[in-house]
Amino acid sequence: MTGRHSAGVPILRLGDVLVTGLLDELDDRSAMGFVDELTERIAREAATGVLIDISRLEVIDSFVARTLSELTTTARLLGARVIVAGMRPPVAITLVELGLKLHGVETALNAEAGMAALGWYRTNRLGEATRGDDAS
């Protein structure tokens, strides 16, 4: 750790995937704490995938956009693929209108689609694997 304070964002492990979500807007200090903590967990737990659910965020400012891009690049260097899931349509529209780009960031419509992209599939009651986006 770098000594920065924790963002207080829960990070869960499902196999070799770390799952987290931004529940509220993060101030700059909390965002950097989140990046430090998540990066440390990726390295320590040899995670190969990270899902970041942002479905509760109503705004992504330029700092958060840059932070997500840098986090994705850092995770990739550590061998993990990052999927940002659940972006609300107004957030996407605002990013485009402001010309903010999420360089290198893969997105998914929702957390289920993001997990499927990372190789996680839910099973039906018979134990047969189904793709998250094919199930009803």
Side-chain angles (χ1 to χ4, degrees), residues 1-5 31-41 71:
M1 299 294 290
T2 61
R4 293 184 184 157
H5 85 100
M32 295 310 299
F34 171 68
V35 168
D36 286 348
E37 189 172 350
L38 188 55
T39 302
E40 178 66 28
R41 293 274 308 265
L71 174 61

Side-chain angles (χ1 to χ4, degrees), residues 11-34:
I11 302 171
L12 307 173
R13 182 185 172 107
L14 295 173
D16 59 354
V17 175
L18 298 176
V19 180
T20 187
L22 299 178
L23 304 177
D24 296 309
E25 319 302 330
L26 296 177
D27 59 35
D28 294 358
R29 185 173 175 209
S30 295
M32 295 310 299
F34 171 68

